[in-house]
Each structure stands twice: as structure tokens, then as C-alpha cells.
Amino acid sequence: MAVFDTHKAVKALTSAGFPDHQAEALVGVVGEEREALATKDGLEALEARMNARFEALEARMNARFEALEKAVSECATKAELREMELRMRLVLGAYVFAAAGLVITVMIGLELLR
């Protein structure tokens, strides 16, 4: 965990033109809230957990698609095939949308740390 050097921060703010009392107040607020801030290590751990969830999701999706493929091979009419195709598209679309949202969130979080 990184250490926040409050003295160094106050000196930097005062040399940039902040009055002493404002620099000290600002550094105090930042110091109190730094535990709530995301860290690179925290985001990397989140990314690892998300990757594990994606792998589990992929395994579940593969199992569902295999079940759907089996059901498709057993369908008797074109209407049943069309209904299954639509359900597969809906499920796949939902998973892709959810996965894209999570990936974008992690990418934004990592970018903010740079």
C-alpha cells in the first residue's frame, strides 16, 4: 500500500499558490478519503475476479449451447428451429452486452490510475 506524504502534498500546493490553510484542508480531506480510492492493485484483483467469472460464464454458455444444439437436432418443425434460434440470439446478446459493460468498466478504472 502506498503511503501518502501529507507534508510533501502541502508543500506542493503552497508552492503552486494555495494559502497554507487551504492546502492543509485539502490534503486533510484527501488523506481521509484515500482509503476509499481505487488502487492499481485493487483494480487488478478485480480484473482477475472478473476474468474468473467470465470463464465460468463461458463454461455455462457452452453447456447451454450444447443443450440447445441437442434440442435443435431433435426438433421436428422449422417453427421450432426458428424459436430456438431466436432464444439463442437473445441469450448470446445478453451475455455479450453484460461482458462488454464489465470489460469497459475495468478498462476505464485502469486508465484512471495511469
Side-chain angles (χ1 to χ4, degrees):
M1 179 175 165
V3 176
F4 181 58
D5 186 345
T6 56
H7 178 70
K8 183 177 177 180
V10 169
K11 282 180 61 175
L13 289 171
T14 55
S15 68
F18 277 78
D20 287 341
H21 68 280
Q22 286 181 347
E24 290 172 4
L26 180 59
V27 169
V29 169
V30 170
E32 291 171 6
E33 297 299 322
R34 73 181 171 86
E35 290 299 320
L37 298 175
T39 63
K40 184 175 182 180
D41 290 340
L43 288 174
E44 287 173 349
L46 175 62
E47 181 181 26
R49 289 193 314 268
M50 288 176 55
N51 284 336
R53 286 182 179 177
F54 283 137
E55 289 171 7
L57 177 61
E58 182 180 19
R60 288 195 313 266
M61 284 175 48
N62 287 337
R64 281 186 142 180
F65 284 128
E66 287 173 12
L68 285 171
E69 286 174 355
K70 182 179 177 185
V72 166
S73 68
E74 296 170 357
C75 285
T77 66
K78 287 185 179 183
E80 289 174 325
L81 288 173
R82 180 69 180 148
E83 181 182 330
M84 283 212 173
E85 178 186 3
L86 291 174
R87 284 195 323 233
M88 286 175 63
R89 287 179 186 217
L90 284 173
V91 168
L92 180 60
Y95 284 131
V96 167
F97 184 75
L102 289 172
V103 168
I104 289 170
T105 301
V106 168
M107 289 173 59
I108 290 171
L110 289 173
E111 192 63 31
L112 290 173
L113 289 176
R114 293 184 184 176

